[in-house]
Amino acid sequence: SAVISQKPSRDICQRGTSLTIQCQVDSQVTMMFWYRQQPGQSLTLIATANQGSEATYESGFVIDKFPISRPNLTFSTLTVSNMSPEDSSIYLCSSTAGQGAAFFGQGTRLTVV
Amino acid sequence: AQSVTQLGSHVSVSEGALVLLRCNYSSSVPPYLFWYVQYPNQGLQLLLKYTTGATLVKGINGFEAEFKKSETSFHLTKPSAHMSDAAEYFCAVRGGGSNYKLTFGKGTLLTVNP
């Protein structure tokens, strides 16, 4: 199956700043997904990113807070803007392989202080 | 819409014992079902999936799951637990066709005791 390289793997950031997370897929994919995993919680979908169109955000997530870029079929970024301690989470990108089995990047462990 | 319920946030077994992690789903369309494993400080790894066809699905590391439509269940089992199986396990569902969004359960932490 395809491989997603995600970076940074972890970061500690000051409140009020922004962090951009990058995901690179080793093959062309139509859709990429961004998830948040808060401490001790399950994964929650933030948005779906298709190449050449605006990302589609899930309820409770907005573009101003989590802008997403999808410049081509192998790359996407998620920015966490104006961070607060409540944004401390693991952020994961994913895409789909045959018959919808999703594969994931290694995750970015973000701590906001 | 889909939802997933994982019964038991924490399951503890002895090494060599049967592993049973429970997952029930709700879906308005025929579901695709998945089990993922997450080791500490790592992303998610696909264990197995059910899409169509045979209802007993075998995955990696000796795990298997059975899709039971009448019970809306997709429980994960392994006959004999190994210490390396200790991890968080997530059940996930999505609708078929072009709906690729996954809905995850809250996860079950598996502890394996020596």
Side-chain angles (χ1 to χ4, degrees), chain A residues 31 37 42 58 102 106 109, chain B residues 36 38 41 43 100-101 104-105:
Chain A
M31 284 184 278
Q37 186 179 20
S42 186
E58 298 299 304
Q106 305 95 316
R109 185 178 297 270
Chain B
Y36 287 88
Q38 185 178 36
N41 300 314
Y100 289 96
K101 288 193 284 189
F104 285 86

Side-chain angles (χ1 to χ4, degrees), chain A residues 33-67:
Chain A
F33 304 89
W34 287 96
Y35 289 87
R36 181 176 71 182
Q37 186 179 20
Q38 294 178 299
Q41 302 295 317
S42 186
L43 283 77
T44 301
L45 181 64
I46 297 171
T48 303
N50 293 330
Q51 192 265 336
S53 63
E54 294 276 340
T56 302
Y57 289 83
E58 298 299 304
S59 176
F61 297 96
V62 295
I63 187 171
D64 290 347
K65 176 67 175 177
F66 298 101

Side-chain angles (χ1 to χ4, degrees), chain B:
Chain B
Q2 295 90 35
S3 66
V4 175
T5 302
Q6 289 184 242
L7 298 175
S9 59
H10 186 196
V11 170
S12 182
V13 301
S14 298
E15 191 172 21
L18 171 72
V19 175
L20 170 61
L21 305 182
R22 299 179 186 273
C23 172
N24 288 89
Y25 70 91
S26 172
S27 178
S28 56
V29 298
Y32 289 4
L33 294 157
F34 308 87
W35 275 100
Y36 287 88
V37 61
Q38 185 178 36
Y39 298 101
N41 300 314
Q42 295 190 27
L44 273 71
Q45 180 181 8
L46 179 68
L47 276 177
L48 48 80
K49 64 182 181 184
Y50 168 80
T51 53
T52 58
T55 56
L56 181 61
V57 179
K58 296 186 184 298
I60 62 172
N61 302 338
F63 285 94
E64 62 182 37
E66 186 171 10
F67 170 61
K68 292 186 176 181
K69 183 178 179 180
S70 62
E71 299 177 7
T72 60
S73 69
F74 191 57
H75 302 329
L76 181 71
T77 61
K78 182 174 180 177
S80 177
H82 191 272
M83 296 295 290
S84 61
D85 294 327
E88 186 94 29
Y89 291 80
F90 293 95
C91 181
V93 64
R94 77 165 183 89
S98 61
N99 179 6
Y100 289 96
K101 288 193 284 189
L102 285 172
T103 300
F104 285 86
K106 293 188 174 182
T108 298
L109 179 64
L110 176 65
T111 302
V112 182
N113 304 307

Side-chain angles (χ1 to χ4, degrees), chain A residues 91-107:
Chain A
Y91 293 85
L92 298 109
C93 61
S94 79
S95 189
T96 54
Q99 291 187 308
F103 52 98
F104 288 81
Q106 305 95 316

